[in-house]
Structure formats: structure tokens, C-alpha cells
Amino acid sequence: MPLNTLRNIGIAAHIDAGKTTVSERILFYTGINRKLGEVHDGQATMDFMKQEQERGITIASAAITCFWKGSQINLIDTPGHVDFTLEVERSLRVIDGMIALFCAVGGVEPQSEAVWNQADHYKVPRIAFINKMDRTGADFPEVVLQLNQNLDANAIPFQLPMGSEENFTGIIDIIERKAYHFSDQERIEIEMPTAWVEKCEEARQFLAEKLAEFDDDLMTLFLDEQEIPAEILKQVAREATLKLLITPVFCGAAYKNKGIQLLLDAVIDYLPSPIDVGAVVGLDTQDSEKTHTRVPSVKEPFSALAFKIIHDLYVGQQTFIRIYSGRLESGMAVLNSTKGKPERIGRIMRIHAKDREEIKEAGPGDIVALIGMKITKTGDTLCDPDNPLFLENITIPPTVIELKVTPPTHKEQQKMGEALKKLSNEDLSFNVRVDEETNETIISGMGELHLEIIVDRMKHEFGVELEVGEPAVAYRETITEEVVNNYKHSKQTGGKGQYAHTVMRIEPNPGNGFEFVDKIKGGVIPTEYIPSVRKGIEKTLERGILAGFPVVDVKVVLLDGSFHPVDSSDMAFQTCASICFKQAFLKANPTLLEPVMHIEVNTPDEYIGEIVGNLNRRRGRIESMRRHRKGSQKVNGQVPLQEMFGYATVLRNLSSGRANYSMEFFQYISVPGSMQTEILEKIRKSKEKE
């Protein structure tokens, strides 16, 4: 199939905007499904995980291939809940175009803004689909206004809804001047009702005026008041959409099967093919200043990005990849340049949600699943061994919430460990660690729902019933002062002794994570022991020093030391570096860092005072308040996560159930001194009890 007929698209939006219902309708109309699956009865094809079917939400982004009017569409359905933001991030990294979905009643909601900003970051062209036009309170012009005011989308209606709420009877295609009714699962072209002819002409005039800004020939036709052919409008609109200059807006009611075929037409007309996206740029594996480009062609060297891992009960691990250039064949040897190791390609699958079709080869633009990959993880680059490069990785947000989990019996400990390892391979925003003092397993993630799903999957997919503690904030530890420390590790134990000596300077490194600098001169510590020093420090960073939380944002400079020709060893230098670092850390005025969340609350005007007052009492900092819809406002600010447990219930009570909110990680900041003492004391007491 020609590359210009391929579309890699994602559907992204706020939770409950109807993404999965739209996906199901797309699968139905493209012939993948014989019958319509519904979210509410747990029959949605894209939601094939048990947890998705029970909750009616999408968790894992499922990739699916379908065909429309001679074009191939690879569709990626993404979650809308903020706890699964990494799933959206992964998808946006590999798709070429996006359908941004909005509820005609809710409009631009908190998570739609977050997804929009992510799409801006990855420069993904998008079209907007305003869904649920048949719902009470549906307001098409208001949502278009919000797109422009809140998202700076330069949104232009390409369709007009004929009526709204229970009077939503059909859709007008402004460019083609055609009207459609929808009966059962069919779209029927009708003569445009007289009442809509003038409105259509006004909207077409507005659309032409907007598009004329981007094309001189169209501007001439517009100024001369000549008839503008539909083909010219479509061509200019396509170019403007691909350059992220406009957002074409479409509408419908997916649940009632209205507008989906027209949306599919729009995907083909206005969203890019891999050829439109052009070359991908990667970094040289030896020199990070040097770049390589790969155009989407089978003649180019092979390059691909692994963007998702799913463990399947029947075929094992499936590694989803997006191919940017070259050809991939079963049995082929490729290089995982991220790990610097070779991989051999086993089976290649084209995915239809829970069904798979084995294929022998895949090419540029394809999104496929590989079975049998040994070392490849999310974000890794796969490439031709003779032409290596690194593709841009996926940004992994830090975890902010923790749970202590224990298996019901000691026998289940190993089973739990294996299952958690598989889940953390799948989802890089989920971490597992063991508290060395109490030997407890602690899991951490992006929010309460995120960890609830993990625990649920442990039970149903892996057969491990977990005993779960209370959710707790995932603090971090760091330093605020620079300190030099000198430590000599010397032990005689009858036989061969242990000797190592390190002098290191540690200093704050805000926002830059851990950095290690080797300034050893004259071989006072042999070269082979330098990695041992680093390893000893890194192990200590993971375990924490103040209260068992990971240490972040510290720069360590190894200045001096000494060794013994017989008694020095890898382990001696690891132990020495660990103790030297701990001593330095405790002298460097250590502090706890707490996660601060960005919060957005949508509330009717009458509750604004109480809601702002309540956020202030929670150590919140209000950033802005702006009109959301008529009679309601949007409050933005930052609040420490520690203060937000149980907030959903409080907000419900404050607003008689009419306000809603969304939270996502913003940054880690120092805990106030008095609170730090309190937190450390509480942690000490809980460990003593155990």
C-alpha cells in the first residue's frame, strides 16, 4: 500500500468524552467489527483488559489497524485519566496525527488541556471532534470558543450541527455544501433545509476568509468574491492543518452513530501520512552533537522506536514498535542502540485489539507488535547494526504516591515479585522497591487509581491476592549544602582483608538528577574501581538515607583516595563509597522533598469562595481563575499531594456535587522544616511498630 495512504492516528481527550465509543464506531464502519461494542456493557473491542471493561475507562493504549476508502488507518486509543498520562505520552510520541475529542457539554476540560499541551510538544497535527451533540446542554459554538480561548487552537468549524440536544438531526459539510441525516447505522445525504442554506454560506465565507491567510491564490479568489472550489479549500486546509496553523472542527454523536463516517473522511483529508511528516532525526551513538535523518522509505537503513510493552497470557511479551525507515523481517538481526546490544526479531504481529495477524515483514510508518524480544523496553531505539542512531526517548514522569503490599503467604512472595517485575517493565511510570529495614515491598505510581488498577491486575492476571496498606506520599531526599568527606574502609577478617579509601565532594544539583564526576589523577584509585565507587553511591541513592526515600538531585565529585594492591576489591570500593556518601549526605543539611500537584477545579460561580479558601488551607497556591462556561469558573494552582487525600469527597460536599477537579504532578519542593520533623518522627514510629 502506498505510504501516502497510511494514517497513524491517536484519539485523545478528557475522561468520559467518548473516546472508546468513537473508536468502536470507527472499527464498525471500517469493517473490523461486525457488531457495535459498548463501553457501558463491557463489550468494547479497544478495552480488552478486564479492569477497563469493569470501569468503563481505557487504561492501556491499544493499537489497531483498519481500512477506509483505500487508506490504512493505524488507530491508537489512549486513556483520558490523568493517572495514565504516560500512556498518552507514549502514543503521541509515535502517532502522526490526532483526533482531539471534546464533549459538547463539558467542553475543554482539565485533561484535554494536558493532552493538548503534550500534542504541542510533539508537534502533532490535529482535528477536533465535538462529541455528544445529542446530550442536554450541548453547545457547539461554546466549545469552539473554548478551543480558541483556552487552547489557542485557531479552531475553525468545517461542519455545522443541525440542531442540538434532542433536536440534533444531522450535520452540514460546510466545504461541500452538503447536508446529512443519520438513520440506524447509515448516513443519508439530503437536500439542505432552507433554514440552513444561509447559515452554511456564512460559515463557508468565514472558513474561506480564515484559510485565505495561508494561501495567495485563495486570497485572490476571496477578495475578487469569486466562487471557491471545494478542492482548493480542502488543499489549503490540509496544508494549514499539517503546519499546526489551524484545527478543523467536526461534530457528531458517536453513541447514536452520527458523524463517524464524515470523521473518517476528515482523517484521510486532513491528517498526515508518514510522507507528510517527513524525516525523523536521531542522534549519533558516538557523538551527541551529530545527528542522522531517516526518511520514511524502505531504501533507508532500518530504524524504529519501541513505545509500549504488554504481557499477554498466550504469547508472552508483546513489544509495540513504530517503524520510521527501512524494512523489518522475521528472523532479522537488529541493534538495540539504547542498550548497545543486538536483538533478533521473532514474530511480527499486526494487532486488531485482542486479535493478532502474523506478518512476515513491515515497513516505514507501520505500527506492529514483536513477540520474543529479550532486552527491549519502552523508549528503546531499534536500528540497523551498520547504521546506528538514537531516536528521542519518551519522558517518564516521577511517581508521587506509594503503597505497601504484602502477599497473603510467604509462598506467594516469589510469584508476587515476578508479577510486579512484569508490570514495571510494561509501565515505566510504576516502580517497585523493597524497604531494607522492614523488608516490605513498596509500589509507587502516578495516583490512587493507577495503583488500584495495578493491585487489581495482580489479582486477576497473575493470581496474587495482595494485602495493601494505606496510600502514602512518595517523598524524595536531597541536600542543600556542599560538603567534602573523607572515608577509609579497612577491615581485617583473618584471610584477605578489605581496603578502600575515597574522598568526595557532594553538592546540590537541582532539577538535574544524579551526576557523577571522576577527578582522580595519577591512578590513586585504579580505573577499574571507579565504576565500583559509582555503583556503591547509586545503590545508596535508591535506598535513601533520611527515611528510606530515593535521593535525587545530587552531584558527586570523586576527588581523591587510595587503594591496597591485595586487599582492595570491587566490593570494598562499593562499601567505602556508600559509607562515605552517607556521611557526607548527613552533613550537607539534608531535606525531604514532597510532590506538589498542579490542580484544576471547574466550579459553578456560587462555590468559588469556599473552594479557593479550602485550597488555601491545604497549603495551596492559586495561580489563576478564569471563566470556563457561562456561570462557571476554572481555578488553577499548585497544592502539595500530602494535603489532597480525600479531596474528592470534600469538593463534592462544598459544591453539592457540581464541581470537579483534575490533578497532575508539577514538581518536587522542600518540605517546611517543622513538617519535616513531624514526617520523619511518624515514619520512625511506624517502622518501630513493624
Side-chain angles (χ1 to χ4, degrees):
M1 181 168 278
L3 259 182
N4 62 357
T5 62
L6 177 61
R7 300 287 182 274
N8 285 319
I9 65 161
I11 300 180
H14 189 87
I15 196 164
D16 276 348
K19 289 181 305 300
T20 303
T21 305
V22 168
S23 302
E24 289 302 316
R25 297 311 186 263
I26 287 174
L27 301 187
F28 177 76
Y29 287 114
T30 55
I32 296 292
N33 283 358
R34 299 283 164 82
K35 70 183 189 67
L36 290 168
E38 303 297 0
V39 175
H40 59 79
D41 59 15
Q43 295 299 307
T45 306
M46 301 295 276
D47 288 354
F48 56 91
M49 283 165 58
K50 181 178 185 295
Q51 293 76 14
E52 297 179 312
Q53 291 166 0
E54 284 174 357
R55 288 173 173 76
I57 59 170
T58 304
I59 298 156
S61 54
I64 197 159
T65 300
C66 54
F67 298 88
W68 182 253
K69 292 189 173 175
S71 291
Q72 178 182 322
I73 298 172
N74 291 328
L75 175 67
I76 295 181
D77 183 37
T78 58
H81 196 283
V82 72
D83 281 11
F84 305 103
T85 186
L86 182 63
E87 291 288 343
V88 182
E89 188 90 11
R90 296 185 218 252
S91 305
L92 288 170
R93 176 67 188 83
V94 296
I95 60 178
D96 298 330
M98 183 173 104
I99 299 172
L101 202 62
F102 300 91
C103 169
V105 183
V108 175
E109 295 180 273
Q111 187 60 7
S112 13
E113 279 195 55
V115 171
W116 194 272
N117 293 335
Q118 285 174 304
D120 278 343
H121 173 73
Y122 288 111
K123 296 184 169 56
V124 178
R126 64 215 83 147
I127 59 177
F129 183 71
I130 299 176
N131 190 27
K132 304 190 180 184
M133 280 304 305
D134 56 334
R135 286 264 310 276
T136 304
D139 191 337
F140 181 79
E142 170 65 24
V143 180
V144 174
L145 182 68
Q146 286 181 30
L147 281 166
N148 288 324
Q149 285 184 343
N150 301 352
L151 304 178
D152 197 19
N154 200 9
I156 305 170
F158 276 48
Q159 292 176 344
L160 287 176
M162 290 161 66
S164 64
E165 302 180 337
E166 70 272 16
N167 299 320
F168 176 55
T169 56
I171 294 169
I172 289 169
D173 179 333
I174 294 169
I175 289 181
E176 299 281 3
R177 296 186 174 103
K178 289 180 179 174
Y180 296 94
H181 268 188
F182 299 87
S183 174
D184 292 328
Q185 288 141 18
E186 297 298 315
R187 65 169 163 176
I188 303 151
E189 188 181 337
I190 59 165
E191 190 176 329
M192 194 180 300
T194 315
W196 288 95
V197 172
E198 193 179 329
K199 288 176 185 170
C200 176
E201 286 310 308
E202 280 174 15
R204 201 174 193 272
Q205 188 76 355
F206 175 76
L207 191 150
E209 184 182 353
K210 284 289 219 176
L211 292 177
E213 294 173 24
F214 312 114
D215 185 87
D216 291 343
D217 293 340
L218 178 53
M219 177 65 85
T220 305
L221 288 172
F222 179 76
L223 292 175
D224 291 347
E225 296 184 7
Q226 293 185 41
E227 172 60 27
I228 302 170
E231 293 70 39
I232 291 178
L233 286 174
K234 280 187 175 179
Q235 185 191 332
V236 175
R238 178 179 176 78
E239 286 168 12
T241 305
L242 298 188
K243 290 175 184 167
L244 276 65
L245 297 169
I246 64 165
T247 306
V249 183
F250 303 88
C251 64
Y255 183 60
K256 298 282 176 64
N257 310 312
K258 293 179 178 179
I260 299 300
Q261 300 101 318
L262 296 171
L263 178 64
L264 281 163
D265 290 346
V267 166
I268 307 303
D269 288 342
Y270 304 112
L271 290 182
S273 71
I275 289 174
D276 296 314
V277 174
V280 67
V281 178
L283 297 176
D284 189 272
T285 52
Q286 304 300 320
D287 179 0
S288 60
E289 299 294 309
K290 200 173 163 188
T291 60
H292 299 284
T293 55
R294 295 281 186 271
V295 298
S297 162
V298 289
K299 293 175 182 172
E300 287 274 299
F302 170 71
S303 67
L305 184 78
F307 70 95
K308 182 168 178 58
I309 287 173
I310 291 179
H311 285 276
D312 186 280
L313 292 173
Y314 304 105
V315 297
Q317 181 176 299
Q318 298 179 103
T319 307
F320 282 79
I321 65 164
R322 157 74 196 257
I323 301 173
Y324 288 97
S325 63
R327 190 182 295 284
L328 184 70
E329 295 172 5
S330 297
M332 193 166 129
V334 298
L335 173 70
N336 179 324
S337 58
T338 311
K339 301 278 195 300
K341 293 179 180 175
E343 275 271 35
R344 188 162 291 281
I345 303 301
R347 294 153 71 200
I348 306 172
M349 299 285 190
R350 202 180 289 294
I351 303 296
H352 305 293
K354 58 187 168 189
D355 300 319
R356 313 170 195 82
E357 169 201 352
E358 188 163 351
I359 54 176
K360 292 296 173 202
E361 61 174 39
D366 278 336
I367 290 177
V368 292
L370 306 179
I371 312 292
M373 302 300 277
K374 298 280 190 293
I375 59 168
T376 302
K377 299 280 183 284
T378 297
D380 286 0
T381 299
L382 297 175
C383 57
D384 175 19
D386 298 327
N387 296 276
L389 81 167
F390 291 127
L391 297 172
E392 185 190 353
N393 205 328
I394 293 160
T395 310
I396 312 295
T399 57
V400 294
I401 198 162
E402 297 187 336
L403 279 182
K404 289 178 180 174
V405 293
T406 44
T409 63
H410 190 65
K411 265 190 202 170
E412 300 255 293
Q413 185 79 37
Q414 190 181 347
K415 197 175 170 187
M416 178 186 83
E418 286 169 3
L420 287 173
K421 189 180 176 187
K422 283 181 180 175
L423 288 170
S424 60
N425 275 346
E426 262 187 39
D427 180 355
L428 295 185
S429 64
F430 167 64
N431 292 330
V432 183
R433 65 185 176 89
V434 175
D435 186 316
E436 296 219 329
E437 286 180 40
T438 61
N439 209 27
E440 285 177 315
T441 302
I442 297 165
I443 61 174
S444 55
M446 302 302 296
E448 290 179 78
L449 179 66
H450 188 194
L451 295 184
E452 186 190 317
I453 299 290
I454 295 282
V455 170
D456 211 31
R457 288 186 66 191
M458 290 287 289
K459 180 180 174 181
H460 291 104
E461 283 178 43
F462 300 97
V464 182
E465 287 270 8
L466 293 178
E467 291 169 12
V468 179
E470 287 293 310
V473 170
Y475 293 101
R476 296 285 184 269
E477 302 178 9
T478 194
I479 55 170
T480 55
E481 291 174 13
E482 189 177 299
V483 164
V484 174
N485 196 51
N486 182 338
Y487 177 71
K488 195 174 282 184
H489 179 68
S490 180
K491 274 192 178 177
Q492 288 302 131
T493 50
K496 186 184 170 187
Q498 280 188 38
Y499 181 90
H501 172 210
T502 55
V503 181
M504 62 179 71
R505 181 175 77 238
I506 69 170
E507 52 193 75
N509 198 21
N512 295 314
F514 169 61
E515 214 176 314
F516 179 78
V517 180
D518 170 20
K519 288 257 178 99
I520 292 297
K521 289 189 175 74
V524 290
I525 297 176
T527 315
E528 66 263 31
Y529 293 136
I530 303 295
S532 309
V533 172
R534 181 173 185 143
K535 200 171 177 185
I537 295 167
E538 284 177 339
K539 281 184 178 173
T540 311
L541 294 176
E542 287 169 24
R543 292 195 291 260
I545 297 163
L546 272 184
F549 296 107
V551 174
V552 295
D553 295 347
V554 175
K555 183 177 182 179
V556 177
V557 183
L558 185 59
L559 301 168
D560 200 0
S562 61
F563 76 105
H564 188 280
V566 177
D567 291 348
S568 286
S569 65
D570 165 53
M571 192 44 70
F573 269 100
Q574 278 195 48
T575 307
C576 175
S578 174
I579 295 168
C580 187
F581 178 77
K582 276 183 189 171
Q583 290 177 348
F585 184 89
L586 292 168
K587 292 175 192 169
N589 196 10
T591 181
L592 277 185
L593 299 174
E594 64 176 340
V596 171
M597 310 302 281
H598 178 83
I599 186 169
E600 187 163 291
V601 183
N602 290 339
T603 173
D605 290 343
E606 59 262 41
Y607 307 113
I608 191 84
E610 287 174 47
I611 284 168
V612 168
N614 184 268
L615 288 173
N616 286 331
R617 286 192 293 279
R618 292 171 185 268
R619 296 193 284 137
R621 190 168 66 84
I622 305 302
E623 236 179 19
S624 68
M625 287 188 278
R626 66 171 189 250
R627 173 187 173 274
H628 175 48
R629 298 186 68 130
K630 195 174 178 183
S632 74
Q633 291 189 53
K634 195 177 268 193
V635 181
N636 277 289
Q638 285 100 39
V639 191
L641 178 62
Q642 177 64 48
E643 308 291 339
M644 294 305 288
F645 289 111
Y647 183 66
T649 309
V650 171
L651 185 64
R652 242 191 332 268
N653 294 338
L654 284 176
S655 67
S656 308
R658 292 173 64 200
N660 60 57
Y661 80 105
S662 160
M663 254 189 347
E664 65 181 325
F665 174 73
F666 175 60
Q667 66 182 35
Y668 270 94
I669 65 163
S670 288
V671 173
S674 56
M675 282 195 67
Q676 178 162 311
T677 312
E678 210 177 289
I679 292 163
L680 293 174
E681 185 60 23
K682 203 172 168 186
I683 291 166
R684 187 183 62 77
K685 282 181 178 170
S686 73
K687 285 188 175 175
E688 280 174 3
K689 275 183 196 171
E690 288 152 5

